[in-house]
């Protein structure tokens, strides 16, 4: 029996720490390792690093492959195991608990130097899986110490400066300018892992794409802050070490959104060393029971190979489409995740029409926050306010901006719409027309203000088409629906209403392209 043979596999049964620190299921770890060349498993000099070890699953699965692959090189099983565990496999745990779990997984004992460990080469308890409790956040950026944030990860001092024995989540791999010094300038052939996804208010478990309204509610309830993504920091640190191969699984929000991810997205889309992306719009296909808005993906980055990227789309855990294509379509600053959408998008952009986003307001179109409710009943010279869950009435002097829209009709649509992870779904909330003399809070965006009621009605006919909402979907990775999600949608002539049949004909869509749109987007109620 091999050291890592388990039936059933205990690592498939572990409960996750939280939605942003998710244990990787064994089958997903194996799929990620399958991206690497088979020659690695026969190379006794190859080194592997998991810089964010939680369960130790990646190191265990690598060890299993090396034990088989190096059998001819070293027939003695114990000597082979000692060589692999002592000189080829390295990990950095994210917490003291995960360090113990990872050692138990890899060495079959929580201390590497125990007589019960399957390795006989270590004279220290950690082995090659380290956890540095001395790793600390570096607070900076505000005159008020309580409001400072870590210059490495953005964590709030108020939330994470706990002291004592509490975990501070100052992950060693990203809390240094020189990650190469962690392992004394050791070179790694492969860096692989499932990094923590975000850092912020752990009590709330917020996502980096929640609406201002939702985050505001949680702040007021818990006096906490919103969460910020950090998985991209692990990717950047890993690239600094210049491994031959980098494989990681992360949320897919970076394709088109994510707070503070614009520069990272631009780097990734311009990096021709990104050779494969395996994309799961429904995260539960990888992590059963876990909801991660926008889905997840794992990728292969190859230092010595450049070109277009193989992109595979998955549904229900099964690959439904694959295509080798550029990561960045001409003139676009986001990654179009669906291969079947590329031909449709190219037909639309070929006409070089103006973008519908030009007709959409920014957040807070009238300068009114969500908590502005107004009075329940109208009063002399009051302004009607469309707010969250109803209407109120305010003074005209309460309006800080957008007053030029008061004497116009305007289409209102919510800033967010959660439609679940399965398809087809509606993509956007149902729009409606606000009358002249009305305003709205930041719950809504204003679209196409006009003195013509019929023009606004025609805009709504366009928004209700599947064609319109499909183009929004391509730039909307989560429920957040700000102005930028409309960038792929062209402006039409709004002197007339629009139907899907009109739009399919105008852009010359094929039967297959129409079928894909209607598979993804349902009619609007």
């Amino acid at each position: 029996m091999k050291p890592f043979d388990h039936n059933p596999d205990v690592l498939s049964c572990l409960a996750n720490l939280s939605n942003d620190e998710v244990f990787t299921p064994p089958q997903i770890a194996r799929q990620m390792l399958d991206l690497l060349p088979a020659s690695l498993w026969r190379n006794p000099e190859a080194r592997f690093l998991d810089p964010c070890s939680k369960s130790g699953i990646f190191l265990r699965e690598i060890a299993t492959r090396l034990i088989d692959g190096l059998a001819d090189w070293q027939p003695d099983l114990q000597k082979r195991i000692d060589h692999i565990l002592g000189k080829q496999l390295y990990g950095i745990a994210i917490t003291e608990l995960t360090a113990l779990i990872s050692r138990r997984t890899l060495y079959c004992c929580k201390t590497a130097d125990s007589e019960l460990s399957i390795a006989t080469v270590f004279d220290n308890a950690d082995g090659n899986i380290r956890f540095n409790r001395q790793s600390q956040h570096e607070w900076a950026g505000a005159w008020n110490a309580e409001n400072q944030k870590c210059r490495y990860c953005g964590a709030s001092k108020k939330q994470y400066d706990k002291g004592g024995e509490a975990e501070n989540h100052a992950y060693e791999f990203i809390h240094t300018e020189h990650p190469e010094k962690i392992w004394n300038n050791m070179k790694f052939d492969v860096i692989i892992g499932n990094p923590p996804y975000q850092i912020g208010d752990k009590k709330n478990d917020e996502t980096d794409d929640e609406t201002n309204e939702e985050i505001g509610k949680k702040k007021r309830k818990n006096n906490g802050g919103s969460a910020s993504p950090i998985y991209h920091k692990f990717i950047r640190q890993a690239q600094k070490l210049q491994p031959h191969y980098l494989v990681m699984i992360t949320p897919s929000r970076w394709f088109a959104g994510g707070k503070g991810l614009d520069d990272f997205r631009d780097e990734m889309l311009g990096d021709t060393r990104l050779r494969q992306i395996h994309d799961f719009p429904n995260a539960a296909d990888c992590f059963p029971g876990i909801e991660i808005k926008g889905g997840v993906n794992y990728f292969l980055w190859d230092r010595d190979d450049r070109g277009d990227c193989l992109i595979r789309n998955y549904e229900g855990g099964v690959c439904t489409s694959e295509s080798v294509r550029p990561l960045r379509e001409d003139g676009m600053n986001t990654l179009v995740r669906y291969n079947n959408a590329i031909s449709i998008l190219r037909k639309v952009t070929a006409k070089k029409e103006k973008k519908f986003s030009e007709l959409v307001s920014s957040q807070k179109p009238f300068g009114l926050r969500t908590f502005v409710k107004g009075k329940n009943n109208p009063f002399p010279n009051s302004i009607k306010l469309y707010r969250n869950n109803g209407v109120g009435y305010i003074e005209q002097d309460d309006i800080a901006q957008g007053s030029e829209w008061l004497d116009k009709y305007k289409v209102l649509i919510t800033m967010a719409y959660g439609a679940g992870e399965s398809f087809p779904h509606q993509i956007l909330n149902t729009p409606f027309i606000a009358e002249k003399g009305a305003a709205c809070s930041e719950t809504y965006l204003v679209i196409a203000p006009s003195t013509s009621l019929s023009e606004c009605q025609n805009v709504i006919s366009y928004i209700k088409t599947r064609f319109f909402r499909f183009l929004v979907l391509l730039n909307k990775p989560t429920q957040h629906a700000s102005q930028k999600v409309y960038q792929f949608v062209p402006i039409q002539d709004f002197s007339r209403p629009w139907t899907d049949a009109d739009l399919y004909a105008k852009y010359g869509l094929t039967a297959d392209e129409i079928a894909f749109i209607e598979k993804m987007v349902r009619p609007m109620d």
Side-chain angles (χ1 to χ4, degrees), residues 198 206-215 226-229 231 251-261 265 292-294 415-417 475-482 484-485:
Q198 61 190 28
E206 296 161 352
T207 69
D208 60 341
D209 285 291
E210 286 186 292
T211 65
N212 285 345
E213 180 179 336
E214 292 166 323
I215 291 173
S226 63
S228 298
Y231 52 89
S252 295
R253 289 191 288 267
W254 69 263
F255 291 177
K259 184 167 64 177
L261 293 180
R265 177 168 48 256
I292 300 171
K293 292 294 185 183
M415 264 281 292
Y417 180 71
N475 211 23
K476 181 179 179 287
T478 68
Q479 62 189 5
H480 203 55
S482 62
K484 72 176 184 178
V485 308

Side-chain angles (χ1 to χ4, degrees), residues 67-347:
I67 287 171
D68 288 339
L70 297 179
D72 291 338
W73 173 79
Q74 175 52 267
D76 186 288
L77 178 60
Q78 185 58 57
K79 290 181 180 178
R80 192 158 75 247
I81 290 173
D82 284 341
H83 174 84
I84 292 167
L85 301 188
K87 295 185 178 180
Q88 292 190 266
L89 301 185
Y90 299 83
I92 304 173
I94 63 170
T95 65
E96 190 166 16
L97 173 62
T98 61
L100 294 172
I101 296 172
S102 296
R103 292 184 197 116
R104 177 65 180 83
T105 297
L106 186 60
Y107 307 133
C108 299
C109 188
K110 67 179 182 180
T111 55
D113 59 351
S114 168
E115 62 180 17
L116 300 177
S117 172
I118 63 169
T120 64
V121 292
F122 295 114
D123 58 4
N124 65 87
D126 291 352
N128 286 339
I129 299 177
R130 60 182 286 149
F131 173 68
N132 182 7
R133 178 164 283 283
Q134 303 309 310
S135 180
Q136 298 291 325
H137 298 287
E138 290 191 16
W139 311 115
W143 65 270
N144 184 342
E146 189 178 73
N147 293 329
Q148 290 182 333
K149 295 184 181 296
C150 176
R151 73 181 186 92
Y152 290 114
C153 70
S156 163
K157 182 175 183 180
K158 182 178 180 180
Q159 292 290 325
Y160 287 92
D161 192 14
K162 300 175 180 178
E165 296 299 311
E167 292 286 0
N168 62 9
H169 297 278
Y171 306 116
E172 181 181 18
F173 190 63
I174 62 172
H175 282 75
T176 175
E177 298 288 351
H178 302 285
E180 69 279 1
K181 293 183 179 180
I182 295 175
W183 289 105
N184 297 320
N185 296 308
M186 186 180 292
K187 299 297 183 182
F188 293 98
D189 296 88
V190 177
I191 298 179
I192 186 168
N194 178 11
Y197 296 161
Q198 61 190 28
I199 197 162
D201 186 350
K202 297 293 177 180
K203 295 180 294 185
N204 294 334
D205 209 19
E206 296 161 352
T207 69
D208 60 341
D209 285 291
E210 286 186 292
T211 65
N212 285 345
E213 180 179 336
E214 292 166 323
I215 291 173
K217 285 180 181 177
K218 289 179 176 178
K219 284 182 180 179
R220 292 190 292 276
K221 182 177 179 181
N222 297 304
N223 295 318
S226 63
S228 298
I230 59 170
Y231 52 89
H232 62 300
K233 297 179 182 295
F234 283 83
I235 294 170
R236 283 171 164 165
Q237 286 290 78
Q239 289 172 330
K240 282 185 183 180
L241 298 183
Q242 283 293 298
H244 193 153
Y245 303 102
L246 171 60
V247 183
M248 285 194 175
I249 184 166
T250 74
S252 295
R253 289 191 288 267
W254 69 263
F255 291 177
K259 184 167 64 177
L261 293 180
D262 289 349
D263 289 344
F264 173 72
R265 177 168 48 256
D266 189 60
E267 293 166 13
M268 294 290 274
L269 297 184
D271 193 342
T272 55
R273 295 168 295 182
L274 201 56
R275 308 302 291 120
Q276 295 186 40
I277 294 177
H278 296 250
D279 180 36
F280 301 79
N282 186 350
D285 290 342
C286 286
F287 304 113
I290 295 294
E291 183 181 29
I292 300 171
K293 292 294 185 183
V296 297
N297 75 94
Y298 57 78
F299 65 84
L300 170 68
W301 179 92
D302 186 336
R303 182 192 64 204
D304 299 333
D305 188 22
R306 294 178 180 269
D308 289 342
C309 184
L310 169 64
I311 298 179
R312 285 185 171 153
N313 301 142
Y314 290 80
E315 184 177 334
V318 176
C319 180
T320 56
S321 173
E322 66 175 58
S323 177
V324 177
R325 57 184 174 91
L327 290 169
R328 192 198 306 269
E329 288 292 304
D330 288 344
M332 297 181 186
N333 58 5
T334 59
L335 171 61
V336 180
R337 74 189 313 174
Y338 300 107
N339 293 320
N340 292 333
I342 296 298
S343 61
I344 300 170
L345 196 56
R346 288 173 179 172
K347 288 179 179 180

Side-chain angles (χ1 to χ4, degrees), residues 315-523:
E315 184 177 334
V318 176
C319 180
T320 56
S321 173
E322 66 175 58
S323 177
V324 177
R325 57 184 174 91
L327 290 169
R328 192 198 306 269
E329 288 292 304
D330 288 344
M332 297 181 186
N333 58 5
T334 59
L335 171 61
V336 180
R337 74 189 313 174
Y338 300 107
N339 293 320
N340 292 333
I342 296 298
S343 61
I344 300 170
L345 196 56
R346 288 173 179 172
K347 288 179 179 180
V348 172
T349 57
K351 292 187 177 290
K352 301 186 182 302
E353 295 166 306
K354 290 185 177 181
K355 298 176 180 179
F356 191 84
S357 56
E358 296 176 13
L359 303 181
V360 182
S361 72
S362 58
Q363 293 178 225
K364 299 195 293 287
F366 291 94
L368 302 174
R369 299 296 304 271
T370 302
F371 55 75
V372 176
K373 301 297 183 183
K375 296 181 179 180
N376 292 329
N377 297 302
F379 53 87
N381 300 317
S382 62
I383 298 294
K384 187 176 185 178
L385 174 71
Y386 287 92
R387 65 189 190 195
N388 186 39
N389 295 325
V391 297
Y393 297 88
I394 59 173
E395 300 276 1
Q396 184 163 348
D397 289 345
D398 294 331
I399 294 176
Q401 62 190 46
S403 57
E404 67 275 13
W405 297 333
L406 285 177
D407 61 350
K408 295 181 179 181
Y409 298 102
K410 47 258 170 196
V411 175
L412 300 188
I413 195 166
T414 56
M415 264 281 292
Y417 180 71
E421 303 301 319
S422 60
F423 293 98
H425 60 65
Q426 191 168 295
I427 315 302
L428 293 170
N429 212 342
T430 305
F432 63 94
I433 295 175
E435 65 270 36
K436 292 181 179 180
C440 65
S441 72
E442 66 174 332
T443 296
Y444 299 97
L445 296 178
V446 169
I447 297 177
S450 174
T451 57
S452 168
L453 177 61
S454 64
E455 189 171 281
C456 286
Q457 291 169 334
N458 294 336
V459 169
I460 284 184
S461 74
Y462 184 40
I463 294 173
K464 286 189 172 183
T465 65
R466 284 168 152 172
F467 174 87
F468 180 101
R469 289 175 287 125
F470 175 78
L471 294 177
V472 169
L473 167 66
L474 301 185
N475 211 23
K476 181 179 179 287
T478 68
Q479 62 189 5
H480 203 55
S482 62
Q483 181 187 56
K484 72 176 184 178
V485 308
Y486 299 92
Q487 288 179 346
F488 292 165
V489 184
I491 292 177
Q492 306 297 338
D493 173 9
F494 295 121
S495 65
R496 49 158 290 186
W498 289 91
T499 67
D500 276 312
D502 298 331
L503 295 161
Y504 295 158
K506 175 180 177 178
Y507 294 98
L509 302 191
T510 66
D512 286 345
E513 291 167 338
I514 292 170
F516 183 67
I517 290 175
E518 297 188 351
K519 172 187 174 183
M520 303 298 287
V521 184
R522 67 173 174 82

